């Protein structure tokens, strides 16, 4: 009498369900990080920019992150989403095959290969994050999810850990196919995501440590060209004669007692002004509290509202004038600095008055109230006040930066170094710099 063969044990489902959940969580987190990055590139703030050392912005603006973005044409968060989608797809494939009675080995092998790739990526990105000198909270959650995924993939799925002979082809086919499909699907949004500028990367390297030698260490980390630029800027700054403010400040960032009192004049359509505004927005998060007071003034390069410009210096759109007046009108608003940064972030789209008012009227001050203020004589008088104040410094263009009454070069490394030196252009730390080159006329 023959015995019936024992039926094979049922294929477990719990591990695949756990991997599906982890993959979905990873994908959701990657989407959140990507949206935060887009907000940052648009001049906004992020929820994880907590302090100097707990700050995902520092990691996202690091040279390593920029290199990855340039190589793959999408940010690191986009690659995280690719990985998450592959994890979800392979987990779902496992569950579908199990339900239909097919072998799950190709899905198992693909999930384990995906897990291995994730662990390798965690090692690389964690090392890059550590070298940036900042802790990225959302990155830590990403690492934890990836490592948990790897643990479940290796211990919670059936069969040998490594693909057997003849199994590699199908494993790579499914895992690689899903990866290519996810990458191609996300390439469009990736190409539309702005990359970090050179100024962003410079600011990402800045440290606000007040420990002795920190400024020397920062100056020593600069390239020879950057060191020379700082040295030249210091020489020009020392030679300038400090002038008393022509009019009192209307809106300040930082305390009036700050040792460094910076005033900057900008034009809404000036590309160099956009770079300066972006750098200062990032720099405010790096420098110790109380070191800097910052004042924003207006110098529109349009004869329609700037009497010091030649008559032909206008494009007839009124954009520069409206932007300048609207910023003056928002000086008492709690979201003044945020709206101003958003305006410059959207510089390319500022083609008409409505575009300006749509941005600056999107905050705490209603657009109708903003338009009424823009048209008022008091606002026009304040704009003339800004213009005459700037002309006191023999301004030839924008941006113009004045620190403690002296004109200062609008160079990120120079501005940061001077702020960290409390405005003392003869600070001991600057001895590590090369001698200044022949003096040149100021250019804006």
């Amino acid at each position: 009498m023959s015995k019936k063969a024992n039926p094979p044990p049922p294929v477990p489902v719990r591990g695949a369900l756990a991997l599906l959940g982890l993959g979905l969580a990873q994908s959701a987190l990657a989407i959140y990080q990507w949206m935060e990055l887009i907000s940052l590139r648009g001049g906004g703030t992020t929820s994880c920019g907590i302090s100097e050392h707990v700050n995902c912005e520092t990691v996202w603006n690091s040279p390593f992150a920029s290199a990855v973005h340039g190589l793959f044409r999408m940010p690191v968060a986009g690659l995280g989403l690719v990985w998450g989608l592959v994890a979800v797809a392979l987990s779902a494939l496992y569950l579908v095959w199990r339900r239909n009675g097919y072998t799950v080995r190709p899905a198992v092998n693909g999930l384990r290969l995906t897990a291995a790739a994730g662990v390798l990526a965690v090692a690389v990105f964690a090392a890059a994050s550590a070298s940036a000198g900042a802790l990225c909270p959302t990155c830590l959650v990403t690492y934890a999810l990836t490592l948990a995924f790897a643990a479940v993939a290796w211990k919670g799925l059936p069969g040998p850990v490594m693909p057997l002979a003849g199994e590699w082809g199908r494993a790579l086919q499914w895992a690689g196919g899903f990866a290519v499909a996810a990458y191609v699907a996300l390439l469009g949004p990736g190409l539309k995501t702005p990359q970090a500028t050179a100024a962003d990367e410079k600011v990402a390297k800045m440290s606000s440590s007040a420990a002795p030698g920190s400024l020397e260490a920062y100056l020593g980390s600069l390239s020879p060209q950057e060191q020379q630029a700082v040295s030249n800027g210091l020489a020009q700054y020392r030679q300038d004669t400090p002038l008393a403010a022509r009019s009192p400040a209307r809106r300040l960032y930082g305390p009036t007692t700050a040792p460094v009192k910076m005033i900057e004049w900008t034009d809404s359509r000036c590309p160099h002004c956009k770079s300066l505004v972006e750098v200062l927005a990032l720099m405010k998060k790096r420098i110790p509290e109380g070191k800097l007071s910052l004042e924003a003034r207006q110098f529109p390069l349009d004869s329609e509202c700037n009497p010091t410009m030649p008559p032909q210096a206008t494009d007839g759109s009124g954009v520069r004038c409206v932007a300048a007046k609207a910023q003056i009108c928002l000086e008492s608003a709690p979201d003044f600095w945020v709206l101003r940064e958003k305006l410059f972030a959207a510089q390319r789209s500022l083609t008409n008055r409505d575009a300006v008012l749509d941005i600056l009227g999107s905050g705490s001050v209603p657009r109708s109230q903003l338009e009424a203020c823009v048209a008022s004589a008091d606002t026009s008088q304040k704009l003339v006040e800004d213009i005459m104040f700037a002309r006191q410094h023999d301004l030839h263009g924008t941006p113009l930066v004045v620190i403690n009454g002296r004109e200062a070069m609008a160079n990120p490394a120079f501005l940061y170094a001077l702020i960290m030196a409390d405005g003392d252009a003869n600070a001991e730390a600057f001895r590590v710099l090369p001698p200044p080159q022949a003096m040149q006329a100021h250019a804006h």
Side-chain angles (χ1 to χ4, degrees):
M1 183 175 180
S2 63
K3 296 182 180 180
K4 292 184 178 179
N6 292 326
V11 177
V13 68
R14 185 177 299 177
L17 288 174
L19 293 177
L20 180 62
L22 289 168
L24 289 171
Q26 177 76 293
S27 300
L29 179 59
I31 292 172
Y32 170 77
Q33 290 177 299
W34 201 341
M35 293 301 99
E36 288 278 276
L37 177 64
I38 291 173
S39 173
L40 177 65
R41 295 285 186 266
T45 58
T46 65
S47 60
C48 56
I50 300 170
S51 67
E52 176 198 350
H53 297 296
V54 182
N55 198 319
C56 54
E57 297 174 14
T58 301
V59 177
W60 295 347
N61 286 329
S62 67
F64 175 81
S66 296
V68 171
H69 193 158
L71 178 62
F72 291 98
R73 299 297 187 266
M74 67 175 61
V76 174
L79 297 178
L81 182 54
V82 169
W83 188 92
L85 293 176
V86 172
V88 168
L90 287 170
S91 301
L93 188 66
Y94 177 107
L95 295 170
V96 170
W97 281 348
R98 176 195 178 276
R99 181 178 180 181
N100 293 328
Y102 302 141
T103 177
V104 296
R105 281 295 293 170
V108 169
N109 292 329
L111 285 165
R112 286 173 173 157
L113 291 175
T114 301
V119 171
L120 178 60
V122 165
V124 172
F125 291 131
S129 179
S131 67
L135 188 66
C136 172
T138 57
C139 301
L140 292 180
V141 178
T142 298
Y143 304 157
L145 289 173
T146 304
L147 294 177
F149 185 96
V152 175
W154 279 314
K155 294 185 177 181
L157 296 180
V161 172
M162 295 294 293
L164 301 176
E167 291 185 337
W168 283 96
R170 290 195 70 193
L172 292 172
Q173 177 185 4
W174 283 104
F178 282 139
V180 170
Y183 177 80
V184 171
L186 296 174
L187 187 56
L191 291 171
K192 293 179 181 178
T193 303
Q195 297 189 39
T197 64
D200 292 334
E201 294 178 15
K202 288 180 182 178
V203 175
K205 295 190 300 181
M206 295 175 178
S207 168
S208 66
S209 172
S214 61
L215 180 54
E216 290 95 326
Y218 169 69
L219 294 170
S221 72
L222 300 176
S223 68
Q225 294 79 9
E226 290 171 327
Q227 289 182 350
Q228 189 64 64
V230 173
S231 178
N232 296 346
L234 287 168
Q236 292 179 349
Y237 182 78
R238 295 185 193 109
Q239 288 191 4
D240 202 26
T241 303
L243 300 175
R246 183 184 176 98
S247 57
R250 296 190 300 263
R251 175 66 184 265
L252 282 180
Y253 167 86
T256 57
T257 56
V260 177
K261 298 174 174 59
M262 182 186 299
I263 309 172
E264 40 102 345
W265 283 262
T266 55
D267 168 81
S268 62
R269 299 182 86 173
C270 156
H272 294 297
C273 298
K274 178 179 185 293
S275 298
L276 175 65
V277 169
E278 290 172 347
V279 163
L280 291 177
L282 292 166
M283 201 179 293
K284 286 186 292 186
K285 303 173 185 178
R286 296 287 181 273
I287 59 176
E289 187 176 350
K291 271 190 176 289
L292 171 70
S293 72
L294 176 64
E295 182 183 359
R297 297 266 185 165
Q298 310 302 321
F299 195 91
L301 302 174
D302 191 333
S303 59
E304 181 183 318
C305 58
N306 186 339
T308 68
M309 297 294 293
Q312 66 273 19
T314 182
D315 60 9
S317 69
V319 166
R320 288 181 162 94
C321 297
V322 169
K325 292 179 179 180
Q327 288 178 79
I328 290 173
C329 291
L330 291 171
E331 286 172 344
S332 61
D335 48 1
F336 167 72
W337 296 103
V338 172
L339 290 171
R340 184 169 183 272
E341 289 158 13
K342 286 184 177 179
L343 178 76
F344 279 92
Q347 188 178 78
R348 291 184 180 180
S349 67
L350 302 181
T351 56
N352 53 61
R353 293 166 51 97
D354 284 338
V356 172
L357 294 172
D358 284 344
I359 295 172
L360 297 182
S362 64
S364 60
V365 178
R367 175 164 171 168
S368 57
Q369 182 180 333
L370 186 61
E371 289 179 330
C373 178
V374 167
S376 71
D378 180 59
T379 300
S380 296
Q381 180 57 41
K382 289 178 180 177
L383 178 56
V384 171
E385 181 182 284
D386 284 3
I387 292 168
M388 293 302 114
F389 190 177
R391 298 299 293 184
Q392 171 180 287
H393 290 277
D394 193 29
L395 175 143
H396 299 289
T398 53
L400 168 66
V401 177
V402 170
I403 294 179
N404 295 346
R406 299 183 182 188
E407 187 174 353
M409 181 173 62
N411 173 281
F414 167 74
L415 293 176
Y416 176 78
L418 192 58
I419 293 169
M420 292 304 296
D422 290 334
D424 181 5
N426 297 305
E428 188 74 17
F430 292 130
R431 292 192 176 185
V432 303
L433 295 173
Q437 294 174 333
M439 298 300 294
Q440 298 177 352
H442 290 305
H444 301 286

